[in-house]
């Protein structure tokens, strides 16, 4: 920078320090000047503050004449918290120009997305901003993806994972986006580094926003996310507000939460909002009137410098109760989807049940006596097999349409697996022809089989080619953020592929499968009522304490990687065996690969009072030994 430019920059800073603050508030500016862009809003056009009254108070506090120095918005991700940040930036450019820093969890992709997907369209579609920020195509404009320059100031975009971007020139305004997704760095707390840049300005302002994530995730978080630590009464926030609604009967205000909503028969259209004080239930016809009463209720007051304002979708006009309950019902049984609903719709931290220890002895004590080899609810039979150097282990499971599952059988076939001509493969092939008696009187065979091909891929491929039957897949387990079934191809193509001479291996997202299975193992049974995803186990010698120790041998640890939550699975103790878990994963994957037409299976296996008892068919002799001294295996975990 030339000497002349340095002088001009210094003059601008001095003017900013001594100039009187503008009379207009951020709320007034947004109402008069703001236009929403189509790229970032479903209601593009003139900004209507009456649609989002919960945004008014935080924008007043961000105004220069308000004494608040730091505003915290722990909001769910669908109620315009990013729009508040955009309005603040628009106000800065137009009314109160000064150096400004926006910190995203990372520069790429989140910082770039904010710059190109939110900030640039806002500047383009708002005339009062377009005239002040030079076109990025012009040479020397100072307008890039990471920096927007304007008379009297600039907006720099940095990543929390890059401390060098947080430690340069001082700024007057600081915006921290999605704080719960920030990662700790080797150079220290990124939030503390960013805040140091505010020190030279007596009239600085800071806005921190974040949706909830997990308990125990965030910068220096032990129990809550970082946004909760910032807003903790007496330690972070001086004032705490909750966007609350009033009961139309008794007039009492409360912060609406999921526990206040009642519905019947898993039908979101029956949702009712129950007052915690008088018990009055508000129907969907009352929803608009209830939300019209919304206002911030002061819950804690020990000052005004740092203010936290909580809000969620149940109290705002942008969302409907039925839509939020419907999202919850659709996500039941799938922890990954349910976490999104809990964070986004309910604005509550997600408690990851898969991260907690599951005790094998608890599951052993919950074993049941089945009325038949396969109880009435199990209408599709699958098998998952794990291949080791000296044995094959196989698990049989029966499934209902809501993925309630009954463990049916667990077998171990000892022998050298390095060649399909060895006897162990003959035993396993005979096992795949097994028949099990259903409570309805029919004999069931495996509808789908998944065999681990991670250890001996060529041998498994040769075996499947020899067996030459439909719906038997060689599978490869892969860790990381991916669906249980990675290859999203048409079902008819998958079935044709399973019968073709040259079969392709299917990729299984084992982390996601384990997360679903472990969460379902914690489900509570309801007498006489089917529970989606519930896992039943029979009282039999195959399902002994050793089996359940293997099934519960792992735990998940959550980590922040590039601003995203990642689950990593580990054995609870070194050397512990886990083949039972691997086989369960493969049996589950077989069901998802099959994608059965349930009506066909249900009709064939319907139970009636006239159904005669069936004689259990003879089956080949199978080994049931489980030698705890064997080397643990399983590609699902070893990958």
């Amino acid at each position: 920078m030339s000497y002349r430019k340095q002088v001009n920059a210094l003059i601008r800073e001095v003017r900013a320090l001594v100039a009187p603050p503008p009379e207009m508030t951020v709320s007034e500016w947004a109402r008069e000047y703001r236009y929403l862009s189509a790229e970032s809003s479903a209601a593009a056009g003139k900004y209507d503050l009456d649609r989002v009254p919960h945004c008014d108070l935080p924008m007043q506090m961000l105004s220069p004449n308000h004494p608040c120095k730091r505003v915290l918005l722990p909001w769910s991700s669908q109620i315009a918290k990013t729009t508040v940040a955009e309005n603040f930036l628009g106000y800065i450019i137009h009314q109160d120009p000064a150096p400004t820093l926006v910190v995203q969890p990372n520069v790429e992709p989140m910082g770039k997305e904010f710059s190109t997907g939110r900030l640039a369209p806002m500047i383009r579609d708002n005339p009062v901003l377009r005239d002040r920020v030079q076109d990025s195509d012009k040479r020397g404009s100072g307008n890039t993806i990471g920096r927007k320059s304007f008379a009297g100031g600039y907006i720099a975009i940095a990543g929390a994972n890059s401390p060098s971007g947080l430690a340069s020139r001082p700024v007057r305004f600081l915006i921290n986006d999605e704080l719960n997704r920030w990662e700790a760095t080797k150079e220290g707390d990124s939030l503390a580094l960013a805040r140091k840049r505010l020190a030279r300005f007596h009239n600085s302002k800071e806005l921190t926003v974040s949706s909830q994530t997990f308990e125990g995730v965030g910068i220096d978080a032990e129990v809550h996310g970082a946004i909760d630590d910032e807003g903790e009464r007496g330690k972070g926030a001086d004032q705490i507000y909750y966007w609350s609604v009033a009961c139309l009967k008794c007039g009492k205000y409360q912060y609406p939460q999921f526990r206040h909503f009642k519905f019947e028969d898993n039908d979101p259209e029956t949702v009712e909002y129950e007052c915690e004080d008088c018990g009055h239930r508000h129907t969907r016809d009352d929803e608009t009137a209830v939300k019209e009463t919304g206002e911030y209720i002061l819950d804690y007051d020990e000052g005004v410098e740092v203010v936290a304002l909580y809000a969620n979708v149940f109290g705002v006009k942008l969302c409907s109760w039925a839509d939020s309950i419907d999202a919850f019902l659709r996500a039941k049984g799938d922890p990954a989807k349910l976490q999104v609903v809990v964070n986004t719709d309910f604005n509550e931290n997600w408690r990851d049940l898969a991260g907690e220890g599951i005790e094998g002895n608890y599951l052993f004590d919950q074993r049941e006596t089945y009325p038949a080899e396969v109880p009435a609810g199990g209408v599709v039979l699958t098998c998952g097999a794990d291949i080791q150097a000296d044995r094959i282990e196989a698990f049989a499971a029966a499934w209902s349409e809501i993925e309630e599952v009954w463990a049916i059988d667990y077998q171990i076939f000892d022998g050298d697996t390095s060649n399909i001509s060895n006897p162990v493969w003959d035993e396993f092939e005979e096992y795949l022809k097994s028949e099990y008696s259903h409570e309805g009187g029919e004999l069931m065979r495996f509808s789908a089989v998944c065999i681990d091909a991670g250890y001996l891929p060529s041998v498994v491929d040769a075996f499947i080619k020899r067996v030459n039957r439909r719906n038997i897949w060689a599978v490869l387990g892969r860790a990381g953020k991916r669906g249980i079934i990675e290859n999203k191809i048409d079902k008819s193509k998958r079935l044709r592929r399973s019968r073709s001479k040259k079969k392709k291996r299917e990729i299984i997202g084992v982390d996601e499968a384990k997360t679903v299975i472990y969460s379902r193992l914690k489900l509570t049974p309801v007498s006489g009522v089917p529970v989606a995803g519930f896992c039943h186990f029979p009282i039999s010698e195959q399902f002994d304490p050793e089996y359940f120790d293997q099934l519960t041998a792992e735990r998940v640890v959550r980590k922040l990687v590039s601003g995203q939550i990642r689950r990593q699975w580990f054995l609870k103790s070194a050397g512990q065996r886990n083949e039972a878990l691997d086989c369960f994963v493969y049996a589950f994957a077989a069901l998802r690969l099959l994608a059965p037409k349930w009506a066909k299976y249900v009709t064939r296996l319907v139970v009636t009072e006239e159904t005669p008892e069936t004689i259990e068919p003879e089956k080949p002799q199978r080994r049931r030994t489980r030698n705890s001294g064997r080397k643990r295996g399983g590609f699902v975990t070893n990958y």
Side-chain angles (χ1 to χ4, degrees):
M1 182 182 293
S2 67
Y3 175 76
R4 185 180 186 85
K5 288 184 177 180
Q6 289 178 335
V7 171
N8 289 337
L10 180 60
I11 291 173
R12 285 196 298 269
E13 288 187 18
V14 172
R15 284 177 178 174
L17 287 171
V18 300
E23 296 285 336
M24 178 178 279
T25 67
V26 176
S27 294
E28 292 168 344
W29 181 89
R31 192 185 292 274
E32 183 170 346
Y33 294 109
R34 180 69 201 276
Y35 288 86
L36 298 175
S37 303
E39 290 94 330
S40 58
S41 175
K46 193 73 173 69
Y47 182 73
D48 183 5
L49 188 57
D50 293 333
R51 292 185 67 245
V52 287
H54 61 285
C55 296
D56 188 20
L57 182 58
M59 289 193 293
Q60 290 183 35
M61 292 178 172
L62 289 169
S63 304
N65 286 316
H66 196 282
C68 178
K69 304 285 287 183
R70 188 184 304 167
V71 177
L72 308 172
L73 300 183
W75 289 5
S76 51
S77 61
Q78 299 298 319
I79 60 173
K81 69 178 184 294
T82 303
T83 305
V84 171
E86 293 170 355
N87 290 342
F88 186 31
L89 290 171
Y91 180 87
I92 292 168
I93 296 172
H94 185 214
Q95 293 288 317
D96 202 10
T100 303
L101 176 64
V102 178
V103 185
Q104 295 286 335
N106 49 62
V107 175
E108 184 80 30
M110 299 182 74
K112 182 178 180 180
E113 173 59 28
F114 178 81
S115 178
T116 60
R118 308 285 304 209
L119 185 55
M122 181 183 73
I123 294 171
R124 179 198 66 204
D125 295 335
N126 288 266
V128 297
L129 306 180
R130 192 189 317 134
D131 296 338
R132 284 168 170 75
V133 180
Q134 297 185 47
D135 192 336
S136 59
D137 293 334
K138 292 183 179 180
R139 186 175 180 179
S141 67
N143 187 347
T144 64
I145 290 178
R147 185 185 178 97
K148 307 295 181 186
S149 298
F150 46 88
Y154 60 85
I155 297 172
I157 300 173
N161 62 341
S162 178
S164 60
L166 308 176
S168 54
R169 296 180 61 187
V171 296
R172 181 179 161 204
F173 299 117
L174 173 64
I175 297 177
N176 307 305
D177 198 11
E178 289 298 344
L179 183 65
N180 273 9
R181 296 187 180 277
W182 289 22
E183 298 176 66
T185 68
K186 294 181 180 179
E187 298 182 40
D189 187 342
S190 296
L191 186 58
L193 289 173
R195 282 178 175 162
K196 285 183 178 180
R197 297 184 62 174
L198 297 171
R200 281 181 53 180
F201 290 89
H202 72 281
N203 55 350
S204 65
K205 290 276 185 179
E206 176 185 334
L207 171 64
T208 299
V209 301
S210 184
S211 55
Q212 307 289 15
T213 50
F214 289 94
E215 289 185 353
V217 171
I219 298 175
D220 297 328
E222 295 179 358
V223 180
H224 303 290
I227 192 70
D228 296 306
D229 291 340
E230 288 295 309
E232 188 175 356
R233 64 174 63 201
K235 296 181 180 179
D238 300 316
Q239 286 184 355
I240 299 176
Y241 290 84
Y242 288 91
W243 183 257
S244 304
V245 295
C247 172
L248 299 182
K249 183 178 180 181
C250 70
K252 294 291 182 65
Y253 274 84
Q254 67 183 19
Y255 180 59
Q257 296 173 278
F258 177 69
R259 58 188 173 86
H260 296 133
F261 291 86
K262 314 298 178 183
F263 48 92
E264 299 177 357
D265 301 323
N266 289 334
D267 183 2
E269 299 300 321
T270 66
V271 63
E272 293 181 335
Y273 171 56
E274 184 177 78
C275 174
E276 200 167 53
D277 285 276
C278 71
H280 177 69
R281 289 196 177 187
H282 305 79
T283 67
R284 292 188 63 200
D285 293 336
D286 301 319
E287 182 172 357
T288 300
V290 169
K291 290 183 175 180
E292 287 289 347
T293 69
E295 65 177 73
Y296 280 107
I297 302 298
L298 183 61
D299 181 68
Y300 177 78
D301 187 4
E302 289 293 333
V304 73
E305 185 166 326
V306 182
V307 179
L309 304 100
Y310 287 80
N312 65 30
V313 296
F314 290 126
V316 304
K317 298 179 179 180
L318 295 175
C319 311
S320 76
W321 296 340
D323 287 346
S324 295
I325 299 302
D326 181 60
F328 166 75
L329 293 171
R330 291 177 181 274
K332 284 179 66 177
D334 189 326
K337 293 179 180 178
L338 191 58
Q339 183 215 333
V340 174
V341 175
V342 170
N343 295 158
T344 302
D345 289 62
F346 307 161
N347 197 31
E348 298 177 10
N349 279 318
W350 171 252
R351 186 181 183 187
D352 194 348
L353 296 179
E356 299 179 350
I358 302 174
E359 297 299 328
N361 56 5
Y362 168 79
L363 296 175
F364 178 80
D365 293 340
Q366 301 304 309
R367 295 182 306 162
E368 314 164 24
T369 300
Y370 291 173
E373 281 193 301
V374 182
V379 296
V380 171
L381 195 63
T382 68
C383 176
D386 182 53
I387 310 302
Q388 298 295 309
D390 60 350
R391 68 195 183 280
I392 300 172
E393 301 200 17
F395 170 64
W399 306 83
S400 75
E401 185 173 3
I402 59 174
E403 293 190 357
E404 188 172 9
V405 58
W406 288 262
I408 303 301
D409 194 12
Y410 196 95
Q411 299 295 331
I412 300 175
F413 306 94
D414 291 309
D416 179 10
T417 59
S418 62
N419 194 303
I420 61 168
S421 63
N422 292 340
V424 65
W425 287 104
D426 298 331
E427 291 183 51
F428 181 52
E429 184 174 355
E430 285 301 312
Y431 174 70
L432 295 182
K433 301 175 185 176
S434 298
E435 294 179 323
Y436 297 87
S437 59
H438 187 267
E439 189 176 346
E442 296 288 334
L443 294 179
M444 296 181 66
R445 299 183 68 181
F446 293 121
S447 297
V449 179
C450 281
I451 305 175
D452 164 33
Y455 177 62
L456 296 169
S458 60
V459 177
V460 172
D461 290 343
F463 173 76
I464 292 177
K465 183 177 181 180
R466 185 180 83 180
V467 172
N468 191 29
R469 55 174 283 189
R470 62 186 299 176
N471 301 338
I472 178 169
W473 289 281
V475 295
L476 298 173
R478 291 291 184 266
K481 190 175 182 180
R482 64 183 78 227
I484 296 172
I485 305 302
E486 181 175 89
N487 298 335
K488 299 184 181 300
I489 63 173
D490 181 78
K491 181 186 174 184
S492 61
K493 292 181 180 178
R494 176 172 279 125
L495 294 179
R496 288 197 300 271
R497 199 165 77 182
S498 74
R499 297 191 294 266
S500 67
K501 292 183 179 179
K502 188 176 181 180
K503 300 179 185 295
K504 294 184 179 179
R505 302 173 192 132
E506 298 289 342
I507 303 299
I508 306 301
V510 295
D511 285 0
E512 180 69 13
K514 290 178 185 180
T515 299
V516 173
I517 290 169
Y518 268 42
S519 295
R520 291 178 176 183
L521 289 174
K522 283 184 169 286
L523 292 174
T524 302
V526 179
S527 180
V529 179
V531 177
F534 187 79
C535 304
H536 302 264
F537 297 94
I539 297 176
S540 69
E541 61 181 16
Q542 294 103 319
F543 297 96
D544 58 8
E546 167 66 15
Y547 170 83
F548 291 103
D549 286 344
Q550 290 190 26
L551 185 63
T552 60
E554 299 188 26
R555 64 184 180 90
V556 67
V557 175
R558 300 182 305 274
K559 294 185 177 181
L560 278 167
V561 180
S562 300
Q564 301 295 318
I565 305 298
R566 294 287 185 264
R567 295 180 178 91
Q568 295 183 5
W569 288 84
F570 298 93
L571 289 169
K572 291 179 181 177
S573 60
Q576 191 169 2
R577 289 182 54 197
N578 54 6
E579 291 88 339
L581 175 58
D582 292 346
C583 289
F584 202 127
V585 166
Y586 296 135
F588 185 24
L591 178 74
R592 291 291 180 90
L593 285 167
L594 179 65
K597 293 182 178 179
W598 292 98
K600 178 183 70 173
Y601 291 92
V602 172
T603 301
R604 180 163 57 88
L605 297 171
V606 67
V607 180
T608 66
E609 293 183 0
E610 291 77 21
T611 301
E613 292 187 4
T614 58
I615 300 175
E616 181 179 349
E618 292 186 3
K619 303 187 185 70
Q621 292 295 319
R622 311 170 197 140
R623 300 183 184 181
R624 293 183 170 87
T625 57
R626 192 172 283 112
N627 183 357
S628 60
R630 290 194 184 99
K631 181 181 178 181
R632 72 171 183 87
F635 184 75
V636 167
T637 303
N638 289 344
Y639 178 77

